[in-house]
Amino acid sequence: MVEFKFIEYGTDFGTRDMGQKLREKLLPLINGDEKVVLDFTGVNVVSNSFADECIAKLLLDIPLDELKRRTTFRGLNPLAERSVLVALQRRYKVLSKVGA
């Protein structure tokens, strides 16, 4: 397993700009041979917009089932977890309508 430690980039993630930068770092790891641990240990804030840009937009390149198989989450506090889940649900819903 490969660990991607968000704490190395800060403790508060609120902008789409940062989300895009980290998504660009994540994508090659996720497309690699090993499962990727998305480690949010020590992170205080994950905004909805950051979660959408960094995590949910991965669905533009990787189908949901594949993303679930290749990644796992660690260390999300309850508010950050909610932001990530809501972003993934919204993005998946939009993509499902486009594909319908």
Side-chain angles (χ1 to χ4, degrees):
M1 278 205 244
V2 175
E3 289 187 352
F4 187 90
K5 295 179 180 272
F6 283 84
I7 192 74
E8 293 177 5
Y9 302 94
T11 57
D12 301 310
F13 297 100
T15 67
R16 286 195 174 272
D17 184 51
M18 179 60 89
Q20 178 185 352
K21 288 176 185 171
L22 295 187
R23 178 171 34 87
E24 289 170 358
K25 291 179 182 292
L26 274 173
L27 204 49
L29 293 175
I30 293 169
N31 285 325
D33 295 332
E34 294 185 68
K35 190 167 191 163
V36 178
V37 177
L38 305 175
D39 189 354
F40 284 85
T41 303
V43 171
N44 298 318
V45 176
V46 175
S47 73
N48 289 336
S49 57
F50 173 86
D52 178 57
E53 193 70 39
C54 182
I55 306 297
K57 277 193 173 180
L58 290 168
L59 294 174
L60 297 172
D61 296 302
I62 305 166
L64 181 60
D65 290 343
E66 185 84 3
L67 188 61
K68 285 181 180 179
R69 192 172 56 75
R70 292 177 176 233
T71 62
T72 189
F73 289 89
R74 180 187 302 147
L76 281 166
N77 67 42
L79 291 174
E81 181 178 5
R82 177 158 170 72
S83 291
V84 170
L85 285 174
V86 166
L88 282 167
Q89 288 170 341
R90 286 179 180 163
R91 181 66 56 179
Y92 183 74
K93 189 175 181 180
V94 168
L95 291 173
S96 294
K97 285 183 180 178
V98 170

Coordinates of all heavy atoms in Angstrom, one line a residue:
M1 N 0.8 -1.2 0.0 CA 0.0 0.0 0.0 C 0.9 1.2 0.0 O 1.9 1.3 0.6 CB -0.9 0.0 1.2 CG -2.2 -0.8 1.1 SD -3.5 -0.3 2.1 CE -3.7 -1.7 3.1
V2 N 0.4 2.3 -0.7 CA 1.0 3.6 -0.7 C 0.2 4.5 0.1 O -1.0 4.5 0.0 CB 1.1 4.1 -2.2 CG1 1.7 5.5 -2.2 CG2 1.9 3.1 -3.0
E3 N 0.8 5.3 0.9 CA 0.1 6.3 1.7 C 0.3 7.7 1.1 O 1.4 8.1 0.8 CB 0.6 6.3 3.2 CG 0.3 5.1 4.0 CD 0.6 5.2 5.4 OE1 1.3 6.2 5.8 OE2 0.3 4.4 6.2
F4 N -0.9 8.4 1.0 CA -0.8 9.8 0.6 C -1.3 10.6 1.9 O -2.4 10.5 2.3 CB -1.8 10.1 -0.5 CG -1.7 11.5 -1.1 CD1 -0.8 11.8 -2.1 CD2 -2.5 12.5 -0.6 CE1 -0.7 13.1 -2.6 CE2 -2.4 13.8 -1.1 CZ -1.5 14.1 -2.1
K5 N -0.3 11.3 2.5 CA -0.6 12.0 3.8 C -0.9 13.4 3.5 O 0.0 14.2 3.1 CB 0.6 11.8 4.7 CG 0.9 10.4 5.1 CD 2.1 10.4 6.1 CE 2.4 9.0 6.5 NZ 1.7 8.6 7.7
F6 N -2.2 13.8 3.7 CA -2.6 15.1 3.4 C -2.0 16.1 4.4 O -1.8 17.3 4.0 CB -4.2 15.2 3.5 CG -4.8 14.7 2.3 CD1 -5.1 13.3 2.2 CD2 -5.2 15.5 1.3 CE1 -5.7 12.8 1.0 CE2 -5.9 15.0 0.1 CZ -6.1 13.7 0.0
I7 N -1.6 15.7 5.6 CA -1.0 16.6 6.6 C 0.3 17.2 6.0 O 0.8 18.2 6.5 CB -0.7 15.8 7.9 CG1 -0.4 16.8 9.0 CG2 0.3 14.8 7.8 CD1 -1.5 17.6 9.5
E8 N 1.0 16.5 5.1 CA 2.2 17.1 4.5 C 1.9 18.3 3.7 O 2.9 19.1 3.3 CB 2.9 16.0 3.6 CG 3.4 14.8 4.4 CD 4.0 13.7 3.5 OE1 4.1 13.9 2.3 OE2 4.4 12.7 4.1
Y9 N 0.7 18.6 3.4 CA 0.3 19.8 2.6 C -0.5 20.8 3.4 O -0.8 21.9 2.8 CB -0.5 19.3 1.3 CG 0.2 18.3 0.5 CD1 0.1 17.0 0.7 CD2 1.2 18.8 -0.5 CE1 0.8 16.1 -0.1 CE2 1.9 17.9 -1.2 CZ 1.7 16.5 -1.0 OH 2.4 15.6 -1.8
G10 N -0.8 20.5 4.6 CA -1.5 21.5 5.5 C -2.5 20.8 6.4 O -2.6 19.5 6.4
T11 N -3.2 21.6 7.2 CA -4.2 21.0 8.1 C -5.6 21.5 7.7 O -6.6 20.9 8.2 CB -3.9 21.4 9.5 OG1 -3.9 22.9 9.6 CG2 -2.6 20.9 10.0
D12 N -5.7 22.5 6.9 CA -7.0 23.0 6.5 C -7.1 23.1 5.0 O -6.3 23.8 4.4 CB -7.3 24.4 7.1 CG -7.2 24.3 8.6 OD1 -7.9 23.5 9.2 OD2 -6.5 25.2 9.3
F13 N -8.0 22.5 4.4 CA -8.2 22.4 2.9 C -9.5 23.0 2.5 O -10.6 22.4 2.8 CB -8.0 21.0 2.4 CG -6.7 20.4 2.7 CD1 -6.5 19.6 3.8 CD2 -5.6 20.7 1.9 CE1 -5.2 19.0 4.1 CE2 -4.3 20.2 2.2 CZ -4.2 19.4 3.3
G14 N -9.5 24.2 1.9 CA -10.7 24.9 1.6 C -10.9 25.3 0.1 O -12.0 25.6 -0.3
T15 N -9.8 25.2 -0.6 CA -9.9 25.8 -2.0 C -9.9 24.7 -3.1 O -9.3 23.7 -2.9 CB -8.8 26.8 -2.3 OG1 -7.5 26.1 -2.3 CG2 -8.7 27.9 -1.2
R16 N -10.6 25.1 -4.2 CA -10.5 24.2 -5.4 C -9.1 24.2 -5.9 O -8.7 23.1 -6.4 CB -11.5 24.7 -6.4 CG -12.9 24.4 -6.0 CD -13.9 24.5 -7.2 NE -15.2 24.1 -6.8 CZ -15.6 22.8 -6.9 NH1 -14.8 21.9 -7.4 NH2 -16.8 22.5 -6.5
D17 N -8.4 25.3 -5.8 CA -7.0 25.3 -6.4 C -6.1 24.3 -5.7 O -5.5 23.5 -6.4 CB -6.4 26.7 -6.2 CG -5.1 26.9 -6.8 OD1 -4.9 26.5 -8.0 OD2 -4.1 27.3 -6.1
M18 N -6.2 24.2 -4.4 CA -5.4 23.2 -3.7 C -6.0 21.8 -4.0 O -5.2 20.8 -4.1 CB -5.5 23.4 -2.1 CG -4.7 22.4 -1.3 SD -2.9 22.3 -1.8 CE -2.3 23.5 -0.6
G19 N -7.3 21.6 -4.1 CA -7.9 20.4 -4.5 C -7.3 19.9 -5.8 O -7.0 18.7 -6.0
Q20 N -7.2 20.7 -6.8 CA -6.7 20.4 -8.1 C -5.3 19.9 -8.0 O -4.9 18.9 -8.6 CB -6.9 21.5 -9.1 CG -6.3 21.2 -10.5 CD -6.4 22.4 -11.4 OE1 -6.9 23.4 -11.1 NE2 -5.8 22.2 -12.6
K21 N -4.5 20.7 -7.3 CA -3.0 20.4 -7.2 C -2.9 19.0 -6.5 O -2.0 18.2 -7.0 CB -2.3 21.4 -6.3 CG -2.1 22.7 -7.0 CD -1.5 23.8 -6.1 CE -1.4 25.1 -6.8 NZ -1.0 26.2 -5.9
L22 N -3.6 18.7 -5.5 CA -3.5 17.4 -4.8 C -4.1 16.3 -5.7 O -3.5 15.2 -5.7 CB -4.1 17.4 -3.4 CG -3.3 18.4 -2.5 CD1 -3.9 18.2 -1.0 CD2 -1.8 18.2 -2.5
R23 N -5.1 16.5 -6.4 CA -5.7 15.5 -7.3 C -4.7 15.1 -8.3 O -4.5 13.9 -8.7 CB -7.0 16.0 -7.9 CG -7.6 15.0 -8.9 CD -9.0 15.4 -9.4 NE -9.2 16.8 -9.5 CZ -9.0 17.5 -10.6 NH1 -8.5 16.9 -11.7 NH2 -9.2 18.8 -10.7
E24 N -4.0 16.1 -8.9 CA -3.0 15.8 -9.9 C -1.8 15.0 -9.3 O -1.2 14.2 -10.0 CB -2.4 17.1 -10.5 CG -3.5 17.8 -11.4 CD -3.1 19.2 -11.8 OE1 -2.1 19.7 -11.4 OE2 -3.9 19.8 -12.5
K25 N -1.5 15.1 -8.0 CA -0.5 14.3 -7.4 C -1.1 12.9 -7.1 O -0.4 11.9 -7.1 CB -0.1 14.9 -6.1 CG 0.8 16.2 -6.2 CD 1.2 16.7 -4.9 CE 1.9 18.0 -5.0 NZ 3.3 17.9 -5.6
L26 N -2.4 12.8 -6.8 CA -3.0 11.5 -6.4 C -3.2 10.6 -7.6 O -3.0 9.4 -7.5 CB -4.4 11.8 -5.8 CG -4.5 12.0 -4.3 CD1 -5.9 12.4 -3.9 CD2 -4.0 10.8 -3.6
L27 N -3.6 11.2 -8.7 CA -4.0 10.4 -9.9 C -3.0 9.4 -10.3 O -3.3 8.2 -10.5 CB -4.4 11.3 -11.1 CG -5.4 10.7 -12.1 CD1 -6.6 10.0 -11.5 CD2 -5.8 11.8 -13.0
P28 N -1.7 9.7 -10.5 CA -0.7 8.7 -10.9 C -0.5 7.6 -9.8 O -0.3 6.5 -10.2 CB 0.6 9.5 -11.0 CG 0.3 11.0 -11.0 CD -1.1 11.1 -10.4
L29 N -0.7 8.0 -8.6 CA -0.6 7.0 -7.5 C -1.7 6.0 -7.6 O -1.5 4.8 -7.5 CB -0.6 7.6 -6.1 CG 0.6 8.5 -5.7 CD1 0.3 9.1 -4.4 CD2 1.9 7.7 -5.7
I30 N -2.9 6.5 -7.8 CA -4.1 5.6 -7.9 C -4.0 4.7 -9.1 O -4.5 3.6 -9.1 CB -5.4 6.5 -7.8 CG1 -5.5 7.1 -6.5 CG2 -6.6 5.6 -8.1 CD1 -6.6 8.2 -6.4
N31 N -3.4 5.3 -10.2 CA -3.3 4.5 -11.4 C -2.1 3.5 -11.4 O -1.9 2.8 -12.3 CB -3.2 5.4 -12.6 CG -4.5 6.0 -13.0 OD1 -5.6 5.4 -12.9 ND2 -4.5 7.3 -13.5
G32 N -1.4 3.5 -10.3 CA -0.3 2.6 -10.1 C -0.7 1.2 -9.7 O -1.9 0.9 -9.8
D33 N 0.2 0.4 -9.3 CA -0.1 -1.0 -9.0 C -0.6 -1.2 -7.5 O -1.1 -2.3 -7.3 CB 1.2 -1.8 -9.2 CG 1.6 -1.8 -10.6 OD1 0.7 -1.7 -11.5 OD2 2.8 -2.0 -10.9
E34 N -0.4 -0.3 -6.6 CA -0.7 -0.5 -5.2 C -1.9 0.3 -4.8 O -2.2 1.3 -5.4 CB 0.5 -0.1 -4.3 CG 1.7 -0.9 -4.5 CD 2.8 -0.6 -3.5 OE1 2.6 -0.8 -2.3 OE2 3.8 0.0 -3.9
K35 N -2.6 -0.3 -3.8 CA -3.8 0.5 -3.2 C -3.2 1.7 -2.5 O -2.2 1.7 -1.9 CB -4.5 -0.4 -2.2 CG -5.8 0.1 -1.7 CD -6.6 -0.9 -1.0 CE -8.0 -0.4 -0.8 NZ -8.9 -1.5 -0.5
V36 N -4.0 2.8 -2.6 CA -3.6 4.1 -2.0 C -4.4 4.4 -0.8 O -5.6 4.4 -0.9 CB -3.7 5.2 -3.1 CG1 -3.3 6.6 -2.5 CG2 -2.8 4.9 -4.3
V37 N -3.7 4.7 0.3 CA -4.4 5.1 1.5 C -4.4 6.6 1.5 O -3.4 7.3 1.5 CB -3.6 4.6 2.8 CG1 -4.3 5.1 4.0 CG2 -3.5 3.1 2.8
L38 N -5.6 7.2 1.5 CA -5.8 8.6 1.6 C -5.9 9.0 3.0 O -6.9 8.8 3.7 CB -7.1 9.0 0.8 CG -7.1 8.6 -0.7 CD1 -8.5 8.9 -1.3 CD2 -6.0 9.2 -1.5
D39 N -4.7 9.4 3.6 CA -4.6 9.6 5.0 C -4.8 11.0 5.4 O -4.0 11.9 5.1 CB -3.2 9.1 5.5 CG -3.1 9.1 7.0 OD1 -4.0 9.5 7.7 OD2 -2.0 8.6 7.5
F40 N -6.0 11.3 6.1 CA -6.3 12.6 6.5 C -6.0 12.8 8.0 O -6.5 13.8 8.6 CB -7.8 12.9 6.3 CG -8.2 13.1 4.9 CD1 -8.4 12.1 4.0 CD2 -8.3 14.4 4.4 CE1 -8.7 12.3 2.7 CE2 -8.6 14.7 3.0 CZ -8.8 13.6 2.2
T41 N -5.2 12.0 8.6 CA -4.9 12.1 10.0 C -4.2 13.5 10.3 O -3.3 13.9 9.6 CB -3.9 11.0 10.4 OG1 -4.5 9.7 10.2 CG2 -3.5 11.1 11.9
G42 N -4.8 14.2 11.3 CA -4.2 15.5 11.6 C -4.8 16.7 10.8 O -4.6 17.8 11.1
V43 N -5.7 16.4 9.8 CA -6.3 17.4 9.1 C -7.6 17.9 9.8 O -8.4 17.0 10.2 CB -6.7 16.9 7.6 CG1 -7.5 17.9 6.9 CG2 -5.4 16.6 6.9
N44 N -7.7 19.2 9.9 CA -8.9 19.7 10.6 C -10.1 20.0 9.7 O -11.2 19.6 10.1 CB -8.5 21.1 11.3 CG -7.4 20.9 12.3 OD1 -7.4 19.9 13.1 ND2 -6.4 21.8 12.3
V45 N -9.8 20.7 8.6 CA -10.9 21.1 7.8 C -10.8 20.6 6.3 O -9.7 20.7 5.8 CB -11.0 22.7 7.7 CG1 -12.0 23.2 6.8 CG2 -11.2 23.2 9.1
V46 N -11.9 20.1 5.8 CA -12.0 19.7 4.4 C -13.3 20.3 3.9 O -14.4 19.8 4.3 CB -12.0 18.2 4.2 CG1 -12.2 17.8 2.8 CG2 -10.7 17.5 4.7
S47 N -13.2 21.3 3.1 CA -14.4 22.0 2.6 C -15.1 21.1 1.5 O -14.4 20.3 0.9 CB -14.1 23.4 2.1 OG -13.4 23.2 0.8
N48 N -16.3 21.4 1.3 CA -17.0 20.7 0.2 C -16.4 20.9 -1.2 O -16.2 20.0 -2.0 CB -18.5 21.2 0.1 CG -19.3 20.6 1.3 OD1 -19.0 19.7 1.9 ND2 -20.4 21.3 1.6
S49 N -15.9 22.2 -1.4 CA -15.3 22.5 -2.7 C -14.0 21.8 -2.9 O -13.7 21.2 -3.9 CB -15.2 24.0 -2.9 OG -14.5 24.6 -1.9
F50 N -13.2 21.7 -1.8 CA -11.9 21.0 -1.9 C -12.2 19.5 -2.1 O -11.5 18.9 -2.9 CB -11.1 21.2 -0.6 CG -9.9 20.3 -0.6 CD1 -8.7 20.7 -1.1 CD2 -9.9 19.0 0.0 CE1 -7.6 19.9 -1.1 CE2 -8.8 18.2 0.0 CZ -7.6 18.6 -0.6
A51 N -13.1 18.9 -1.3 CA -13.5 17.5 -1.5 C -13.9 17.2 -2.9 O -13.5 16.1 -3.4 CB -14.5 17.1 -0.4
D52 N -14.7 18.1 -3.5 CA -15.2 17.8 -4.8 C -14.0 17.8 -5.8 O -13.8 16.9 -6.6 CB -16.2 18.9 -5.2 CG -16.7 18.6 -6.7 OD1 -17.2 17.5 -7.0 OD2 -16.5 19.6 -7.5
E53 N -13.2 18.9 -5.7 CA -12.1 19.0 -6.6 C -11.0 18.0 -6.5 O -10.5 17.4 -7.5 CB -11.4 20.4 -6.4 CG -10.5 20.9 -7.5 CD -11.2 21.2 -8.8 OE1 -12.3 21.7 -8.8 OE2 -10.6 20.8 -9.9
C54 N -10.7 17.6 -5.3 CA -9.6 16.7 -5.0 C -10.0 15.2 -5.1 O -9.3 14.4 -5.8 CB -9.0 16.9 -3.6 SG -7.6 15.9 -3.2
I55 N -11.1 14.9 -4.5 CA -11.6 13.5 -4.4 C -12.6 13.1 -5.4 O -12.5 12.2 -6.2 CB -12.1 13.2 -3.0 CG1 -11.0 13.6 -1.9 CG2 -12.5 11.7 -2.9 CD1 -9.7 12.8 -2.0
A56 N -13.7 13.9 -5.4 CA -14.9 13.5 -6.3 C -14.6 13.6 -7.8 O -15.0 12.8 -8.6 CB -16.1 14.4 -5.9
K57 N -13.7 14.6 -8.2 CA -13.4 14.7 -9.6 C -12.5 13.5 -10.1 O -12.3 13.4 -11.3 CB -12.7 16.0 -9.9 CG -13.7 17.1 -10.1 CD -13.1 18.4 -10.7 CE -14.1 19.4 -11.0 NZ -13.5 20.6 -11.6
L58 N -12.0 12.7 -9.2 CA -11.3 11.5 -9.6 C -12.3 10.6 -10.4 O -11.8 9.8 -11.3 CB -10.8 10.7 -8.4 CG -9.6 11.4 -7.6 CD1 -9.4 10.7 -6.3 CD2 -8.4 11.4 -8.5
L59 N -13.6 10.8 -10.1 CA -14.6 10.0 -10.9 C -14.6 10.3 -12.3 O -15.2 9.6 -13.1 CB -16.0 10.2 -10.2 CG -16.1 9.6 -8.8 CD1 -17.5 10.0 -8.2 CD2 -16.0 8.1 -8.8
L60 N -14.1 11.5 -12.7 CA -14.0 11.8 -14.1 C -13.0 10.9 -14.9 O -13.1 10.7 -16.1 CB -13.6 13.3 -14.3 CG -14.6 14.3 -13.7 CD1 -14.0 15.7 -13.8 CD2 -15.9 14.3 -14.4
D61 N -12.1 10.4 -14.2 CA -11.0 9.6 -14.8 C -11.1 8.1 -14.4 O -10.6 7.2 -15.1 CB -9.6 10.1 -14.3 CG -9.4 11.5 -14.8 OD1 -9.4 11.7 -16.1 OD2 -9.1 12.4 -14.0
I62 N -11.8 7.8 -13.2 CA -11.8 6.5 -12.7 C -13.2 6.1 -12.3 O -13.8 6.8 -11.5 CB -10.9 6.3 -11.5 CG1 -9.5 6.8 -11.8 CG2 -10.9 4.9 -10.9 CD1 -8.6 7.0 -10.6
P63 N -13.8 5.0 -12.8 CA -15.1 4.6 -12.4 C -15.2 4.4 -10.9 O -14.2 4.0 -10.3 CB -15.4 3.3 -13.2 CG -14.4 3.3 -14.3 CD -13.2 4.1 -13.8
L64 N -16.4 4.6 -10.3 CA -16.5 4.5 -8.8 C -16.0 3.1 -8.3 O -15.3 3.1 -7.3 CB -18.0 4.7 -8.4 CG -18.3 4.6 -6.9 CD1 -17.5 5.7 -6.2 CD2 -19.8 4.8 -6.7
D65 N -16.4 2.0 -8.9 CA -16.0 0.7 -8.4 C -14.5 0.6 -8.4 O -13.9 0.0 -7.5 CB -16.6 -0.4 -9.3 CG -18.1 -0.5 -9.0 OD1 -18.6 0.0 -8.0 OD2 -18.8 -1.2 -9.9
E66 N -13.9 1.1 -9.4 CA -12.4 1.0 -9.6 C -11.8 1.9 -8.5 O -10.8 1.5 -7.8 CB -12.0 1.5 -10.9 CG -10.5 1.4 -11.2 CD -10.1 0.0 -11.7 OE1 -11.0 -0.8 -11.9 OE2 -8.9 -0.2 -11.9
L67 N -12.3 3.1 -8.3 CA -11.8 4.0 -7.2 C -11.9 3.4 -5.9 O -11.0 3.5 -5.1 CB -12.6 5.3 -7.3 CG -12.0 6.5 -6.4 CD1 -10.6 6.8 -6.8 CD2 -13.0 7.7 -6.5
K68 N -13.0 2.7 -5.6 CA -13.2 2.0 -4.3 C -12.2 0.9 -4.1 O -11.7 0.7 -3.0 CB -14.6 1.4 -4.2 CG -15.7 2.4 -3.9 CD -17.0 1.6 -3.9 CE -18.2 2.5 -3.6 NZ -19.5 1.8 -3.5
R69 N -11.9 0.2 -5.2 CA -10.9 -0.9 -5.1 C -9.5 -0.4 -4.9 O -8.7 -1.0 -4.3 CB -11.0 -1.7 -6.4 CG -10.3 -3.0 -6.4 CD -10.6 -3.9 -7.6 NE -10.3 -3.3 -8.9 CZ -9.1 -3.1 -9.4 NH1 -8.1 -3.5 -8.7 NH2 -8.9 -2.6 -10.5
R70 N -9.2 0.7 -5.5 CA -7.8 1.2 -5.5 C -7.5 2.2 -4.3 O -6.3 2.5 -4.2 CB -7.5 2.0 -6.8 CG -7.5 1.1 -8.0 CD -7.3 1.9 -9.3 NE -7.2 1.1 -10.4 CZ -6.2 1.1 -11.3 NH1 -5.3 2.0 -11.1 NH2 -6.2 0.3 -12.3
T71 N -8.5 2.6 -3.6 CA -8.2 3.6 -2.5 C -8.9 3.2 -1.2 O -9.9 2.4 -1.2 CB -8.7 5.0 -2.9 OG1 -10.1 5.0 -3.1 CG2 -8.0 5.5 -4.1
T72 N -8.5 3.7 -0.1 CA -9.1 3.6 1.1 C -8.8 4.9 1.9 O -7.8 5.6 1.6 CB -8.7 2.4 1.9 OG1 -9.6 2.2 3.1 CG2 -7.3 2.4 2.4
F73 N -9.7 5.2 2.8 CA -9.5 6.5 3.6 C -9.1 6.1 5.0 O -9.5 5.1 5.6 CB -10.9 7.2 3.7 CG -11.2 7.9 2.4 CD1 -12.0 7.2 1.5 CD2 -10.9 9.2 2.1 CE1 -12.4 7.7 0.3 CE2 -11.2 9.7 0.9 CZ -12.0 9.0 0.0
R74 N -8.3 7.1 5.6 CA -7.9 6.9 7.0 C -7.9 8.3 7.6 O -7.5 9.3 7.0 CB -6.5 6.3 7.1 CG -6.0 6.1 8.5 CD -4.6 5.7 8.6 NE -4.4 4.4 7.9 CZ -3.2 4.1 7.3 NH1 -2.2 5.0 7.3 NH2 -3.1 3.0 6.7
G75 N -8.3 8.4 8.9 CA -8.1 9.6 9.7 C -9.0 10.7 9.4 O -8.8 11.8 9.9
L76 N -10.1 10.5 8.8 CA -11.1 11.6 8.5 C -11.9 11.9 9.8 O -12.4 11.0 10.4 CB -12.1 11.2 7.4 CG -11.6 11.3 6.0 CD1 -12.6 10.6 5.1 CD2 -11.5 12.7 5.5
N77 N -11.9 13.2 10.2 CA -12.8 13.5 11.3 C -14.2 13.6 10.8 O -14.4 13.5 9.5 CB -12.3 14.8 12.0 CG -12.5 16.1 11.1 OD1 -13.5 16.2 10.4 ND2 -11.5 16.9 11.1
P78 N -15.2 13.6 11.6 CA -16.6 13.5 11.2 C -17.0 14.5 10.1 O -17.7 14.2 9.2 CB -17.4 13.6 12.4 CG -16.5 13.0 13.5 CD -15.1 13.5 13.1
L79 N -16.6 15.8 10.3 CA -17.0 16.8 9.4 C -16.3 16.7 8.0 O -16.9 16.9 7.0 CB -16.6 18.2 10.0 CG -17.5 18.7 11.2 CD1 -17.0 20.0 11.7 CD2 -18.9 18.8 10.8
A80 N -15.0 16.3 8.1 CA -14.3 16.0 6.8 C -14.9 14.8 6.1 O -15.0 14.9 4.9 CB -12.8 15.8 7.1
E81 N -15.2 13.8 6.8 CA -15.8 12.6 6.2 C -17.1 13.0 5.5 O -17.4 12.6 4.4 CB -16.1 11.6 7.3 CG -16.7 10.3 6.7 CD -16.9 9.2 7.8 OE1 -16.7 9.5 9.0 OE2 -17.3 8.1 7.4
R82 N -17.9 13.8 6.2 CA -19.2 14.3 5.6 C -18.9 15.0 4.3 O -19.6 14.8 3.3 CB -20.0 15.1 6.6 CG -21.3 15.6 6.0 CD -22.3 16.0 7.0 NE -23.4 16.7 6.5 CZ -24.4 16.2 5.7 NH1 -24.3 14.9 5.4 NH2 -25.4 16.9 5.3
S83 N -17.9 15.9 4.3 CA -17.6 16.7 3.1 C -17.2 15.8 1.9 O -17.7 16.0 0.8 CB -16.5 17.7 3.3 OG -16.9 18.7 4.2
V84 N -16.4 14.8 2.2 CA -16.0 13.9 1.2 C -17.1 13.0 0.7 O -17.3 12.9 -0.6 CB -14.8 13.0 1.7 CG1 -14.5 11.8 0.7 CG2 -13.6 13.8 1.9
L85 N -17.9 12.5 1.6 CA -19.1 11.7 1.1 C -20.1 12.5 0.3 O -20.6 12.0 -0.7 CB -19.8 11.1 2.4 CG -19.1 9.9 3.0 CD1 -19.8 9.5 4.3 CD2 -19.0 8.7 2.1
V86 N -20.4 13.7 0.8 CA -21.3 14.5 0.0 C -20.8 14.9 -1.4 O -21.5 14.8 -2.4 CB -21.7 15.8 0.8 CG1 -22.4 16.9 0.0 CG2 -22.5 15.5 2.0
A87 N -19.5 15.2 -1.4 CA -18.9 15.5 -2.7 C -19.0 14.3 -3.7 O -19.3 14.5 -4.9 CB -17.5 16.0 -2.5
L88 N -18.6 13.2 -3.2 CA -18.7 12.0 -4.0 C -20.1 11.6 -4.5 O -20.3 11.3 -5.6 CB -18.1 10.8 -3.2 CG -16.6 10.7 -3.2 CD1 -16.1 9.7 -2.1 CD2 -16.0 10.4 -4.5
Q89 N -21.1 11.8 -3.6 CA -22.5 11.5 -3.9 C -22.9 12.5 -5.0 O -23.6 12.1 -6.0 CB -23.4 11.6 -2.7 CG -23.2 10.4 -1.7 CD -23.9 10.7 -0.4 OE1 -24.2 11.8 0.0 NE2 -24.1 9.6 0.3
R90 N -22.6 13.7 -4.8 CA -23.1 14.8 -5.8 C -22.4 14.5 -7.2 O -23.1 14.6 -8.2 CB -22.8 16.2 -5.3 CG -23.6 16.6 -4.2 CD -23.2 18.0 -3.7 NE -24.1 18.4 -2.6 CZ -23.8 19.4 -1.8 NH1 -22.7 20.1 -2.0 NH2 -24.6 19.8 -0.8
R91 N -21.1 14.3 -7.2 CA -20.4 14.1 -8.4 C -20.9 12.8 -9.1 O -21.1 12.8 -10.3 CB -18.9 14.0 -8.1 CG -18.0 13.9 -9.4 CD -18.0 15.0 -10.3 NE -17.7 16.3 -9.7 CZ -17.6 17.4 -10.4 NH1 -17.8 17.4 -11.7 NH2 -17.3 18.6 -9.9
Y92 N -21.1 11.8 -8.4 CA -21.6 10.5 -8.9 C -23.0 10.7 -9.5 O -23.3 10.2 -10.6 CB -21.6 9.4 -7.9 CG -22.0 8.1 -8.4 CD1 -21.1 7.3 -9.2 CD2 -23.3 7.6 -8.2 CE1 -21.5 6.1 -9.7 CE2 -23.6 6.3 -8.7 CZ -22.8 5.6 -9.5 OH -23.1 4.4 -10.0
K93 N -23.8 11.4 -8.8 CA -25.2 11.7 -9.3 C -25.1 12.4 -10.7 O -25.8 12.1 -11.6 CB -26.0 12.5 -8.3 CG -27.4 12.6 -8.5 CD -28.1 13.3 -7.4 CE -29.6 13.5 -7.6 NZ -30.3 14.1 -6.5
V94 N -24.3 13.5 -10.7 CA -24.2 14.2 -12.0 C -23.6 13.4 -13.1 O -24.2 13.4 -14.2 CB -23.2 15.4 -11.8 CG1 -22.8 16.1 -13.1 CG2 -23.9 16.5 -10.9
L95 N -22.6 12.6 -12.8 CA -22.1 11.7 -13.9 C -23.0 10.6 -14.3 O -23.1 10.2 -15.5 CB -20.7 11.1 -13.4 CG -19.6 12.1 -13.2 CD1 -18.4 11.4 -12.6 CD2 -19.2 12.7 -14.5
S96 N -23.8 10.1 -13.4 CA -24.9 9.1 -13.7 C -25.9 9.7 -14.7 O -26.4 9.0 -15.6 CB -25.5 8.6 -12.4 OG -24.6 7.9 -11.6
K97 N -26.3 11.0 -14.4 CA -27.3 11.6 -15.3 C -26.7 11.8 -16.7 O -27.4 11.6 -17.7 CB -27.7 12.9 -14.7 CG -28.7 12.8 -13.6 CD -29.1 14.2 -13.1 CE -30.1 14.0 -11.9 NZ -30.5 15.3 -11.4
V98 N -25.4 12.2 -16.8 CA -24.8 12.4 -18.1 C -24.7 11.1 -18.9 O -24.9 11.1 -20.1 CB -23.3 13.0 -17.9 CG1 -22.5 13.0 -19.2 CG2 -23.4 14.4 -17.3
G99 N -24.4 10.0 -18.2 CA -24.3 8.7 -18.8 C -25.6 8.1 -19.2 O -25.7 7.1 -19.9
A100 N -26.7 8.6 -18.6 CA -28.1 8.0 -18.8 C -28.6 8.3 -20.2 O -28.2 9.2 -20.9 CB -29.0 8.5 -17.8

